[in-house]
Amino acid sequence: MRLRLDIAYDGSGFSGWARQPGLRTVQGSIEAAVSRVLGGDAQLVVAGRTDAGVHASGQVAHLDLSDAQEARLRRGRDPEPAALAARLNGVLGRYADVHVRATSVAPEGFDARFSAVWRRYAYRVADRTTGYDPLERFRTTFVPVALDGAAMDAAARSLTGLHDFAAYCKPRPEATTIRTLLEFDWRRDESGVLVANVKADAFCHSMVRALVGACVAVGEGRLDVEDVAVLRDAHRRTSAFAVLAARGLTLTEVGYPADDLLAARAEQTRARRATDT
């Protein structure tokens, strides 16, 4: 049985998503809870690995149960797969910084990572206009100047489309930096905080935090709106802007195709990733 898990977490106390020896991670915490509830080993496959300090409200993972684990699930007080979320959260704790929002039987062909067609992130920036709120310090980056939100929005929108984003990615040997940036825009929320909406088919390492860092440089007046596309098309890293902190970044949503297209999408993505290196 393959299960889909919908997950939320505050990344402040984690060394990222991926399991690492001797470190507290989101994956390790949930897998330990699964093993405690269902016995045996557990290995989650996630839609998007997040770095240390990055949050999620709409993370997705899948989990393949062994026959013994499925039998143990069925013997529980509530044998339905949907009830597993409550059992896992009972182990994780009532006020835990990671929460399994839902568990369900995955459709045939579903792969949390390879079936995904896009991921969406939000990034929150408070500036001198809104002031610093200590209650938001773990999920909002503070910039102590007044930012030009309209200029930031114009800069963001100029970057969308299929491009090589090497200038906005931390390089990894032989890995492609070509991505389709589907949406990128800024707005101020009801409290005045600037919130970036960033949606792409996939993201390379540190891409979102670099993109928002470039836009903040525009908002501060250190870069012109046109500069962000010029830097992108140079295809090399630059010191013209800073990569912003992880604290402001949240994975909010992962998009998947219709159930009858899940397997084909996963196969297509695997084939493309195999040619990336």
Side-chain angles (χ1 to χ4, degrees), residues 90-215:
V91 173
L92 293 168
R94 179 173 295 181
Y95 294 105
D97 48 5
V98 55
H99 182 76
V100 180
R101 301 176 64 184
T103 49
S104 58
V105 177
E108 184 176 353
F110 176 81
D111 185 295
R113 179 186 179 194
F114 290 115
S115 294
V117 292
W118 50 262
R119 287 91 172 158
R120 187 190 304 276
Y121 284 85
Y123 196 98
R124 295 171 51 84
V125 179
D127 65 351
R128 194 170 65 195
T129 303
T130 58
Y132 172 72
D133 183 351
L135 298 181
E136 296 289 335
R137 68 191 185 281
F138 292 125
R139 73 179 191 122
T140 304
T141 293
F142 177 63
V143 178
V145 299
L147 296 173
D148 184 340
M152 292 168 63
D153 184 59
R157 293 176 187 274
S158 75
L159 291 171
T160 57
L162 175 64
H163 300 283
D164 185 342
F165 286 94
Y168 294 99
C169 296
K170 186 175 181 179
R172 287 181 169 175
E174 306 302 323
T176 183
T177 50
I178 297 173
R179 297 290 189 270
T180 301
L181 186 58
L182 299 166
E183 298 175 11
F184 189 17
D185 53 77
W186 289 87
R187 65 175 178 84
R188 286 192 186 269
D189 68 10
E190 62 279 359
S191 65
V193 170
L194 283 156
V195 182
N197 162 55
V198 196
K199 175 182 175 183
D201 58 346
F203 293 93
C204 44
H205 192 214
S206 79
M207 179 175 167
V208 180
R209 293 190 289 131
L211 289 171
V212 298
C215 288

Side-chain angles (χ1 to χ4, degrees), residues 18-95:
R19 185 192 322 106
Q20 301 176 62
L23 296 176
R24 183 173 184 257
T25 66
V26 182
Q27 181 182 14
S29 297
I30 299 174
E31 288 178 349
V34 172
S35 295
R36 182 171 170 183
V37 171
L38 298 180
D41 295 326
Q43 185 167 351
L44 292 168
V45 174
V46 73
R49 293 186 177 188
T50 51
D51 293 335
V54 176
H55 317 299
S57 59
Q59 182 68 278
V60 180
H62 77 247
L63 171 68
D64 291 329
L65 300 184
S66 67
D67 291 343
Q69 288 172 324
E70 182 177 352
R72 188 162 172 176
L73 173 65
R74 298 297 189 188
R75 289 197 301 268
R77 181 178 301 173
D78 188 339
E80 293 303 316
L84 179 60
R87 296 168 68 182
L88 294 176
N89 291 327
V91 173
L92 293 168
R94 179 173 295 181
Y95 294 105

